């Protein structure tokens, strides 16, 4: 069983691929997270493995052959981001052949989405200013929180990019399962059960639900306050330590890369970004052109489970 995660980036694909890999590993399934397929892949001990040094030097056919040759005894968890395809500028025929191969080879294809498209574009706009793609520690958080204004033209372009991503997925991929970033954070154990078939993996192994662990991780490791570990119970500390140690162990084994922490909440963004309301107005004007975009979620903070305005 192989897993392909489709993304425009910024929709939870990084954390989802890591969590799927970690859950399979905990369930004693041989697994490898190849991360992005199109910017460096090698065969190592018969298993498709990430190699960033190759960048875009491989053809899509070469990448297909590596995936095809990878031992079937090891499950592959892979990501395909549209923006990498756009950067590569392969011939359309080569792209179609590649997508056709992926459709056949990967048993589960997961389309990553955002329930709050406004926050997706706002997150990207903050990334553009801070240079921090994912938050892994307090220093990353500090850089993110220094951003007070975003480029409104860039914000609008990210809304357009998301629509283009939807069209791309619908054109080239079949038999999809859709997973939202918000559902991963709020109901992670159930999402993983639907994807990999194992029930309550993190709860069973660590004593706390995955969603609870992710929230505590955000509060502890992503916070600029360094003494808030005292707010955790012994059980919570134990579960969080086990989760972090597992992540480190899989990194040492070259099975996954580091797993990011939640970046900022929508409430954080509203407090932080001075032209927040201007971007919100631009989003509403943009969304009117697409009846499938849910405008009602734009001001809903899924992390704190409340409308912020």
């Amino acid at each position: 069983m192989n897993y392909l995660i489709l993304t425009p980036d910024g929709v939870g694909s990084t954390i989802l691929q890591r969590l799927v890999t970690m859950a399979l590993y905990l369930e004693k399934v041989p697994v490898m997270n190849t991360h992005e397929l199109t910017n460096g892949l090698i065969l190592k001990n018969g298993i498709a493995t990430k190699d960033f040094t190759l960048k875009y030097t491989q053809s899509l056919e070469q990448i297909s052959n590596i995936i095809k040759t990878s031992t079937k005894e090891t499950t592959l968890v892979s990501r395909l981001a549209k923006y990498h395809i756009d950067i590569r500028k392969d011939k359309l025929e080569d792209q179609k052949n590649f997508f056709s191969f992926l459709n056949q080879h990967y048993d589960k294809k997961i389309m990553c989405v955002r329930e709050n498209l406004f926050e997706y574009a706002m997150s990207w706009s903050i990334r553009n200013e801070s240079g921090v793609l994912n938050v892994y520690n307090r220093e990353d958080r500090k850089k993110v929180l220094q951003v007070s204004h975003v480029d409104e033209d860039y914000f609008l372009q990210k809304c357009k990019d998301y629509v283009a991503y939807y069209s791309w997925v619908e054109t080239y991929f079949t038999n999809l399962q859709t997973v939202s970033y918000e559902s991963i954070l709020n109901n992670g154990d159930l999402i993983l059960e639907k994807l990999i078939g194992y029930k309550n993996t993190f709860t069973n192994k660590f004593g706390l639900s995955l969603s609870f662990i992710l929230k505590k991780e955000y509060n502890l490791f992503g916070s600029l306050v360094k003494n808030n570990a005292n707010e955790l119970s012994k059980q919570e500390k134990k579960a969080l330590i086990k989760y972090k140690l597992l992540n480190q162990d899989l990194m040492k084994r070259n099975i996954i890369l580091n797993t990011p922490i939640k970046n900022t909440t929508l409430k954080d963004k509203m407090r932080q970004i001075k032209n927040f309301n201007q971007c919100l107005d631009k989003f509403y004007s943009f969304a009117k052109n697409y009846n499938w975009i849910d405008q009602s979620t734009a001001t809903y903070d899924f992390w704190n489970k409340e409308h912020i305005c």
Side-chain angles (χ1 to χ4, degrees), residues 49-62:
T49 306
K50 190 73 209 158
D51 186 345
F52 283 104
T53 64
L54 294 173
K55 300 182 179 179
Y56 297 128
T57 60
Q58 296 168 300
S59 70
L60 294 178
E61 184 178 7
Q62 287 175 313

Side-chain angles (χ1 to χ4, degrees), residues 50-282:
K50 190 73 209 158
D51 186 345
F52 283 104
T53 64
L54 294 173
K55 300 182 179 179
Y56 297 128
T57 60
Q58 296 168 300
S59 70
L60 294 178
E61 184 178 7
Q62 287 175 313
I63 295 167
S64 297
N65 287 333
I66 290 172
I67 299 168
K68 193 185 303 182
T69 307
S70 185
T71 176
K72 293 178 174 59
E73 281 69 39
T74 297
T75 291
L76 298 182
V77 180
S78 304
R79 188 192 81 166
L80 181 67
K82 183 181 182 298
Y83 79 93
H84 279 300
I85 294 294
D86 294 340
I87 292 171
R88 287 177 57 97
K89 298 186 183 301
D90 298 284
K91 292 179 180 178
L92 182 58
E93 193 61 31
D94 292 340
Q95 291 183 37
K96 289 181 177 178
N97 290 336
F98 184 58
F99 301 151
S100 178
F101 164 73
L102 295 179
N103 271 309
Q104 295 172 12
H105 189 82
Y106 283 86
D107 310 274
K108 293 220 173 179
K109 285 151 289 187
I110 303 160
M111 180 183 183
C112 287
V113 299
R114 287 294 294 254
E115 294 177 46
N116 189 335
L117 176 52
F118 167 72
E119 187 174 10
Y120 159 81
M122 182 60 71
S123 295
W124 259 110
S125 300
I126 295 173
R127 278 180 169 191
N128 186 51
E129 300 294 331
S130 69
V132 177
L133 294 180
N134 289 301
V135 170
Y136 294 103
N137 51 49
R138 291 187 177 96
E139 288 305 310
D140 291 337
R141 173 81 69 218
K142 191 178 296 184
K143 291 177 184 177
V144 169
L145 294 179
Q146 287 173 351
V147 177
S148 61
H149 190 279
V150 297
D151 185 327
E152 293 174 28
D153 290 336
Y154 184 88
F155 168 84
L156 196 55
Q157 183 59 51
K158 295 314 295 184
C159 292
K160 295 175 182 177
D161 289 346
Y162 188 85
V163 170
Y165 162 69
Y166 247 83
S167 177
W168 175 71
V169 171
E170 290 178 349
T171 301
Y172 295 112
F173 298 94
T174 59
N175 301 321
L176 296 163
Q177 288 181 261
T178 300
V179 174
S180 73
Y181 175 61
E182 292 84 354
S183 67
I184 298 168
L185 296 180
N186 290 315
N187 212 351
D189 278 312
L190 182 59
I191 293 300
L192 288 177
E193 180 185 348
K194 290 179 179 178
L195 293 178
I196 68 175
Y198 295 97
K199 189 172 183 177
N200 295 327
T201 297
F202 284 88
T203 301
N204 293 338
K205 301 295 181 179
F206 297 153
L208 293 175
S209 72
L210 174 59
S211 298
F212 195 89
I213 290 171
L214 295 178
K215 286 183 181 294
K216 290 300 179 181
E217 180 189 39
Y218 171 77
N219 293 337
L220 181 58
F221 294 100
S223 173
L224 298 181
V225 179
K226 295 186 178 182
N227 62 354
N228 53 6
N230 294 328
E231 299 175 5
L232 300 177
S233 68
K234 288 184 179 180
Q235 182 185 14
E236 291 168 350
K237 287 179 182 178
K238 189 175 180 180
L240 194 51
I241 289 170
K242 284 184 177 180
Y243 171 77
K244 300 299 282 187
L245 288 176
L246 173 64
N247 189 82
Q248 292 173 17
D249 181 48
L250 294 187
M251 287 172 62
K252 289 178 182 178
R253 296 171 184 265
N254 295 317
I255 293 175
I256 64 170
L257 301 174
N258 202 2
T259 305
I261 303 167
K262 166 73 177 168
N263 199 313
T264 53
T265 69
L266 188 61
K267 185 181 289 186
D268 293 333
K269 294 177 177 70
M270 183 180 69
R271 292 169 177 166
Q272 176 180 344
I273 305 302
K274 293 180 180 178
N275 58 333
F276 182 94
N277 288 331
Q278 290 90 325
C279 290
L280 187 59
D281 290 340
K282 279 183 165 56

